[in-house]
Amino acid sequence: MKKYLISDGGLISLYIKGDNEAFRELVERHKNRVFTSIYLIVKDRARAEDLLQETFIKVIDTIRRGRYNETGKFLPWILRIAHNMAIDTFRKNKRYPVVMMEDGNNVFDTLEFAEEPVENKKIREDTVEKLRNLIQDLPENQRKVLIMRSYLDMSFKEIAESTGVSINTALGRMRYALINLKKKMKQNNIVYDPNLYPK
Amino acid sequence: MTQIYTQNDLVRYVFKETTKEEESGIEDELLVNNDLIDFYIDASEVTRKLKELDLEPSEKTVQAILDYSRTVGVHS
């Protein structure tokens, strides 16, 4: 059976039985999502790469010890691990490091995208960069809720419990995050163009 | 009693955290409430855009993960 048709839980079961390709499929399936969520918190590519590795190592070790909960969902679980690691790192390093390469370019410029027309690729890269900056510029409470809901797949109830506020407050912060982002996107001419994102 | 839906309810709707009954009520409300429909359009556009922020780690990092998954004695 084709691996991409198998559920996350199914892939883990196969991996436990000795199928390394099943774990490869799991990594390929979720690596971008986990990496993006980490990166938005730590704001440093090299650190995000390290934390992605640590996250998956923790996943593998947990499975190895027979402690993976097969009734749970894999993605929310790994995102929670990633989030906790990223937050711990962020707290230890309260500066916002900008990692520069020797030629003066930001390492964020080295992100690779799938093969696509050069013009679309450039527009997409510019848009990603702008959007990333807009998210970083949000007030902390709004940014936190936005990242937790949009990238860590936490429900508003979980976000409220995690941040110690009411669900209404969490919803309100998301509402303002969306309003503020929309305003800034308009000012920065970031519009949704389905032709650039063929998913 | 008619339920009144707020922008906070709309946020839940955009992120698919409403019940079927709430969905139906909100959709009816969107047909007649200009403030809500304006917010809904903006919120939908932003959340679509957020989904496109899809960063990719380096091949080196991915390979390190896969190497670890093979070398650790998971298999029972």
Side-chain angles (χ1 to χ4, degrees):
Chain A
M1 187 183 186
K2 301 244 188 312
K3 294 273 189 300
Y4 60 82
L5 295 174
I6 302 172
S7 68
D8 292 344
L11 290 173
I12 291 173
S13 295
L14 286 171
Y15 174 56
I16 290 170
K17 289 171 189 164
D19 187 343
N20 287 321
E21 285 309 300
F23 195 80
R24 173 191 283 275
E25 170 62 28
L26 199 64
V27 172
E28 289 297 329
R29 198 178 278 184
H30 298 303
K31 63 184 170 71
N32 288 4
R33 180 74 178 272
V34 181
F35 183 67
T36 301
S37 67
I38 293 171
Y39 183 86
L40 286 174
I41 296 170
V42 301
K43 298 178 242 198
D44 178 284
R45 183 179 171 84
R47 198 159 289 143
E49 299 259 10
D50 288 344
L51 286 171
L52 181 74
Q53 230 177 289
E54 286 177 39
T55 297
F56 271 101
I57 285 172
K58 186 158 186 174
V59 164
I60 292 164
D61 288 347
T62 301
I63 293 172
R64 178 173 74 121
R65 287 197 291 265
R67 290 174 64 183
Y68 174 69
N69 178 5
E70 295 188 27
T71 57
K73 287 186 183 177
F74 177 77
L75 183 59
W77 176 61
I78 189 174
L79 285 172
R80 188 61 62 96
I81 294 171
H83 175 241
N84 290 341
M85 283 196 184
I87 289 294
D88 285 346
T89 296
F90 181 74
R91 282 184 185 138
K92 283 177 197 161
N93 302 281
K94 288 182 184 159
R95 299 184 299 119
Y96 289 70
V98 174
V99 183
M100 303 299 284
M101 292 163 66
E102 284 177 2
D103 59 3
N105 287 324
N106 189 306
V107 288
F108 194 71
D109 296 341
T110 65
L111 280 174
E112 295 167 14
F113 295 92
E115 284 298 314
E116 58 186 305
V118 172
E119 285 170 4
N120 282 0
K121 186 176 171 180
K122 186 73 179 91
I123 293 170
R124 191 165 180 271
E125 287 173 359
D126 288 347
T127 301
V128 165
E129 174 71 17
K130 281 181 188 171
L131 186 58
R132 185 184 67 89
N133 289 334
L134 296 186
I135 293 171
Q136 309 295 18
D137 286 344
L138 286 173
E140 191 185 335
N141 284 340
Q142 292 173 26
R143 187 177 67 246
K144 226 189 265 188
V145 174
L146 187 92
I147 291 173
M148 284 177 167
R149 188 63 191 85
S150 301
Y151 297 104
L152 299 180
D153 242 8
M154 293 168 71
S155 67
F156 285 108
K157 181 169 183 283
E158 288 168 332
I159 292 169
E161 284 165 4
S162 168
T163 55
V165 300
S166 66
I167 294 180
N168 230 28
T169 297
L171 285 167
R173 287 176 179 174
M174 176 60 95
R175 181 162 53 87
Y176 280 110
L178 293 172
I179 291 170
N180 284 335
L181 271 180
K182 171 61 188 173
K183 226 183 274 178
K184 289 171 192 275
M185 277 167 58
K186 201 171 167 184
Q187 288 165 3
N188 286 270
N189 203 30
I190 300 173
V191 295
Y192 176 68
D193 182 346
N195 296 317
L196 293 180
Y197 304 94
K199 280 187 198 175
Chain B
M1 181 178 153
T2 311
Q3 171 99 22
I4 298 171
Y5 293 101
T6 64
Q7 288 190 352
N8 276 3
D9 294 319
L10 210 47
V11 171
R12 290 193 296 116
Y13 176 75
V14 167
F15 285 96
K16 301 188 183 354
E17 286 195 22
T18 44
T19 62
K20 287 275 175 224
E21 195 184 321
E22 286 173 323
E23 251 178 61
S24 177
I26 288 170
E27 283 161 5
D28 286 345
E29 187 69 20
L30 283 171
L31 293 172
V32 299
N33 188 322
N34 289 337
D35 286 341
L36 274 190
I37 191 74
D38 285 344
F39 176 74
Y40 174 68
I41 290 170
D42 288 346
S44 298
E45 187 184 338
V46 172
T47 51
R48 267 200 306 271
K49 207 74 205 150
L50 291 175
K51 282 182 185 142
E52 292 149 18
L53 195 60
D54 184 47
L55 308 177
E56 192 162 354
S58 68
E59 194 50 48
K60 186 180 164 193
T61 293
V62 174
Q63 196 54 51
I65 291 167
L66 295 177
D67 288 344
Y68 187 84
S69 76
R70 286 188 206 108
T71 56
V72 173
V74 174
H75 317 302
S76 50

